[in-house]
Amino acid sequence: MRGVIGKKPIHLLRKEERDRSPELEDMWIDIGAESKAEAEKLVSIGDPVAMRPNFHFIGKNRFYSKGTDDKVGAFVVAEVMKALSKRKLNVAVYGVGTVQEEVGLRGATTSTFGIDPQVGFALDVGFATDLPDIPKKLLGEIKLGGGPELNRSCDNNIVLGEMVRKTAKKFKFPYQEAAAHRASGGTDAAQIQLTRAGVATALLSIPNRYMHSPVEICDLRDVEAAIGILTETIVSFKGNESFLPL
């Protein structure tokens, strides 16, 4: 079922209406129905709505799409699991596609509790700052194509973080340093690390332009580097690591 999001035309808006963003109750989805009875045959109260798929490559290495946050993270997880299936491992590995991160980290809560891991990697997107009007003083110098962001924050285990960076340097995978602009929260890493008795956690973020819009842009080179870093880090685990900072 297709439809278009509608609202009052700008020509008919009062001045005070023009100066504020439209509220949800002031918008609707026009599905072309000619009557209430016809509409009720097509949709029901509570039916979910999604923007139409719109994946396109833009330039040689970049692509845009709706929901890149966090489809790109799910893609990285899938590709890492595929790569690990061909390697010899000393540890068990679980690939999880968590849900409802934006409304309370709910999928990370239940998944991590059920698996009870010693180590957890969170895959998300981060703010690319190679744009006009993005506060680099707050978010740092992050560009598309420069590699995934390796984060330093209360959500990231220091020992695990150093292992990830050492692996990236050893295999010459590009990465970018990112410091959190708040103490904790915002990604699944915040909940993973607090599960049960605690989990050593690291967050890898794919630089993203226009986050939470229908045209988010990411770079395949950052995706490929994230896959490589995660794969080689997991392969390097012996199974008896300690993640307690000395």
Side-chain angles (χ1 to χ4, degrees):
M1 169 58 60
R2 293 184 180 180
V4 297
I5 298 174
K7 62 181 292 291
K8 187 189 297 185
I10 190 171
H11 317 72
L12 305 180
L13 293 176
R14 297 187 296 272
K15 183 180 183 303
E16 59 271 19
E17 292 177 314
R18 293 195 187 107
D19 295 336
R20 64 178 176 84
S21 299
E23 299 292 338
L24 185 62
E25 60 265 26
D26 297 329
M27 304 174 71
W28 56 85
I29 297 177
D30 189 335
I31 59 173
E34 297 186 23
S35 67
K36 179 179 180 181
E38 182 183 354
E40 289 176 338
K41 291 179 181 179
L42 298 172
V43 295
S44 300
I45 293 174
D47 281 351
V49 176
M51 302 292 290
R52 290 184 62 191
N54 65 333
F55 179 92
H56 291 282
F57 281 102
I58 181 170
K60 182 179 179 181
N61 297 296
R62 295 169 182 176
F63 60 91
Y64 72 83
S65 177
K66 66 160 188 165
T68 301
D69 174 13
D70 196 22
K71 289 190 298 188
V72 70
F75 178 79
V76 170
V77 172
E79 290 298 303
V80 169
M81 297 301 286
K82 184 190 299 184
L84 292 176
S85 70
K86 304 172 185 176
R87 307 288 292 275
K88 182 179 179 180
L89 301 177
N90 299 311
V91 295
V93 181
Y94 294 78
V96 179
T98 60
V99 298
Q100 299 185 353
E101 183 253 13
E102 298 287 357
V103 293
L105 313 179
R106 297 180 179 186
T109 301
T110 55
S111 299
T112 311
F113 189 92
I115 295 171
D116 191 18
Q118 293 178 288
V119 173
F121 293 103
L123 280 299
D124 211 315
V125 295
F127 297 107
T129 63
D130 53 351
L131 296 167
D133 300 327
I134 301 296
K136 295 181 177 62
K137 289 177 64 177
L138 177 65
L139 301 171
E141 295 276 355
I142 303 295
K143 64 179 182 179
L144 296 187
E149 301 172 45
L150 302 185
N151 292 264
R152 297 181 187 273
S153 73
C154 294
D155 298 335
N156 289 263
N157 178 273
I158 295 174
V159 176
L160 180 59
E162 289 306 313
M163 291 179 65
V164 172
R165 288 168 172 81
K166 182 178 178 181
T167 298
K169 293 174 182 176
K170 177 180 177 180
F171 290 92
K172 295 182 171 54
F173 293 120
Y175 69 90
Q176 303 176 80
E177 292 285 0
H181 61 281
R182 54 184 172 181
S184 178
T187 73
D188 282 343
Q191 183 57 50
I192 293 172
Q193 66 153 343
L194 296 176
T195 301
R196 294 184 184 259
V199 179
T201 306
L203 169 65
L204 280 77
S205 303
I206 306 300
N208 180 292
R209 290 179 180 172
Y210 320 121
M211 194 183 299
H212 289 193
S213 81
V215 288
E216 297 176 85
I217 296 179
C218 290
D219 193 300
L220 283 176
R221 291 169 294 186
D222 302 328
V223 175
E224 291 167 353
I227 293 168
I229 291 170
L230 275 175
T231 299
E232 297 301 335
T233 299
I234 294 170
V235 169
S236 73
F237 287 151
K238 294 180 174 60
N240 59 356
E241 286 84 2
S242 171
F243 298 98
L244 295 175
L246 299 179

